[in-house]
């Protein structure tokens, strides 16, 4: 009861920080989770269908909760979709409820193919019966983790999306009394990697638990820290040097050139800048197209940007 009262008493950040609130609302992060009935992917695709072996999966939406069904020709199971995970840059994965538990749909929507294909991790999962063909039980601890990264509040979230308080953890009191808050602008690249790594995974997470293969291309804090460019103290290589956290990521490659050239300039390396004098003989613009190549994970129809900045040699093996 006390908690509820406190939560209601906290004024919204937007009232005093309208610029951040307005631009942040349009980010994929702020829309990383939504009730399935609000998914524009499903609204734009009122019927999605795919078949693999004996099973056929169908997603139908005509207002209200979309309906997911799987059939083997003899039997059909259906479920109402509760949640859509992902804004849809890469795609969306759906979650349905059965007997009070949540399940992850076997099939996800991929933006690149505008259709259904296996959800990551499902292609090798056994499908011994129609229930297994429909989806995977998500145990309660994992449910909390999924909601924890894609929304704010870990069980049955009301506030979907990555809200202000996720990154500005010490602002609840500030919103009431204008108490001082951590100025993230002053954080080191290592501190920012830790903040973003709470969801995008930290270097330590991957170094300890893997994956040590192409699947780790989606974990930017790990890839970036392995790059020769990385310096734990130098803010010119922090996540926020290239990504304004309240704005969707820019897709204009030339826009990133200045970020590279902040370090890779002509001049005398002895003057303290480690990368000074270390300049490219091959290209003068669109640096990231060659040095941060788009890399697809098998089965996931999306080119992730490899944050391990390097000279990519033709035919090289993927550095892990
Ligand atoms: C009643 C108005 C008000 C509300 C509500 C409010 N803030 Fe602030 N906030 C301010 C003012 C004024 C400052 C500048 C104070 C300062 O520089 O010390 C500030 C400063 C900040 C800063 C640091 C700015 C800097 O330049 O270092 C952050 C981050 C911040 N607010 C985030 C939030 C978040 C997140 C919320 C919602 C949980 C929030 N604020 C709610 C008025 C407000
Ligand atoms: C609470 C978890 C969380 C934290 C903390 C977090 N992210 Fe994210 N981020 C996500 C999720 C979830 C997505 C996927 C959004 C979607 O559905 O497309 C995402 C997507 C992104 C994207 C791609 C989408 C786009 O175009 O903007 C960028 C870039 C990004 N995050 C940068 C950052 C940076 C930089 C930080 C640290 C300052 C950070 N994130 C912290 C959860 C988080
Ligand atoms: C540790 C934090 C974390 C957990 C736990 C997590 N995600 Fe994510 N998820 C992310 C981040 C960060 C991204 C954006 C970068 C990427 O695609 O890897 C993302 C991206 C996605 C995307 C693609 C989004 C898009 O816009 O294209 C989907 C779909 C997704 N997650 C579904 C899920 C589901 C379903 C679960 C639980 C079964 C889950 N995630 C658990 C952090 C997490
Ligand atoms: C994904 C993490 C993330 C989210 C979500 C987020 N911020 Fe920030 N915010 C940051 C980071 C990191 C900085 C420092 C940016 C920089 O270095 O230029 C920052 C800077 C700020 C500042 C300027 C003060 C400063 O420290 O430089 C304000 C004010 C602010 N944020 C308000 C908000 C509000 C309001 C929201 C919600 C609408 C929000 N932020 C959501 C990460 C986030
Ligand atoms: C030197 C610049 C640079 C730095 C530093 C950087 N990024 Fe990126 N990032 C990019 C570029 C370029 C893209 C691709 C943008 C596009 O074309 O869509 C990108 C894309 C992304 C995406 C979208 C998914 C993808 O693979 O395309 C996420 C999420 C992301 N970055 C997170 C991070 C995080 C977290 C950090 C800090 C650990 C970080 N980035 C540091 C340049 C950078
Ligand atoms: C914080 C400064 C900094 C930034 C920002 C930066 N680099 Fe670097 N980069 C370095 C340093 C330092 C080295 C190592 C120089 C050496 O060892 O001679 C390096 C090395 C490299 C190398 C050679 C790597 C190898 O494997 O041999 C390439 C290629 C490179 N950087 C490209 C880029 C590109 C492209 C960007 C922008 C996307 C970028 N850098 C951003 C500091 C930076
Ligand atoms: C067309 C692809 C391409 C583009 C665009 C490109 N590079 Fe390169 N870069 C290369 C290749 C290939 C090498 C390796 C050259 C060699 O070893 O002979 C290289 C080498 C480098 C090196 C290492 C130099 C050294 O002497 O160790 C740095 C640093 C670098 N590039 C930075 C950049 C920056 C910054 C940009 C953008 C202003 C950029 N590159 C644009 C392909 C490219």
């Amino acid at each position: 009861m006390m908690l509820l009262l406190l939560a209601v008493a906290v004024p919204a950040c937007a009232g005093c920080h309208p610029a951040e609130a307005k631009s942040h609302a349009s980010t994929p992060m702020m829309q990383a989770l939504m009730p399935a009935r609000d998914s524009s992917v499903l609204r734009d695709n009122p019927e999605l269908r795919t078949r693999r072996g004996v099973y056929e999966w169908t997603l139908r939406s005509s207002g209200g909760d979309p309906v997911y069904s799987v059939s083997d020709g003899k039997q059909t199971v259906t479920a109402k979709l509760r949640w859509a995970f992902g804004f849809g840059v890469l795609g969306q994965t759906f979650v349905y409820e059965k007997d009070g538990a949540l399940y992850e749909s076997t099939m996800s929507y991929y933006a690149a193919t505008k259709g259904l294909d296996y959800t990551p991790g499902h292609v090798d999962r056994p499908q011994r019966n129609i229930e297994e063909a429909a989806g995977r039980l998500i145990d309660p601890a994992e449910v909390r983790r999924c909601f924890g990264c894609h929304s704010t509040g870990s069980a049955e979230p009301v506030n979907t999306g990555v809200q202000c308080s996720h990154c500005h953890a010490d602002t609840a009191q500030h919103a009431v009394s204008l108490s001082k808050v951590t100025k993230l602008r002053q954080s080191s690249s290592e501190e920012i990697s830790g903040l973003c790594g709470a969801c995008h995974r930290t270097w330590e997470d991957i170094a300890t638990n893997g994956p040590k293969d192409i699947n780790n291309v989606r974990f930017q804090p790990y890839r970036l820290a392995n790059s020769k460019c990385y310096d734990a103290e130098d803010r010119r290589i922090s996540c926020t040097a290239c990504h304004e956290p309240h704005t969707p990521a820019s897709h204009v490659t030339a826009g990133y050139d200045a970020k590279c050239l902040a370090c890779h300039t002509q001049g005398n390396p002895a003057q303290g800048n480690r990368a000074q004098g270390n300049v490219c003989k091959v290209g003068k613009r669109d640096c990231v197209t060659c040095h941060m190549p788009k890399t697809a994970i098998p089965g996931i129809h999306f080119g992730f940007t490899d944050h391990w900045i390097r000279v990519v040699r033709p035919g090289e093996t993927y550095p892990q």
Side-chain angles (χ1 to χ4, degrees), residues 127-143:
Q127 297 181 356
R128 287 163 299 204
N129 55 49
I130 197 155
E131 267 79 28
E132 285 184 354
R136 171 181 76 89
L137 174 73
I138 322 175
D139 69 56
E142 192 189 355
V143 167

Side-chain angles (χ1 to χ4, degrees), residues 11-13 16-17 164 168 171-172 174-175 178 180-183 185:
C13 316
C16 299
H17 299 289
C164 318
H168 299 287
T171 47
H174 157 82
L178 289 186
K180 283 258 173 281
V181 296
T182 309
K183 296 196 177 196
R185 211 187 308 126

Side-chain angles (χ1 to χ4, degrees), residues 45 48-50 92 108-117 301:
N45 297 277
L48 289 161
R49 214 179 251 285
T50 193
Q92 267 184 355
S108 286
Y109 175 85
Y110 288 91
T113 56
K114 295 193 167 55
L116 300 178
D117 203 344
H301 309 277

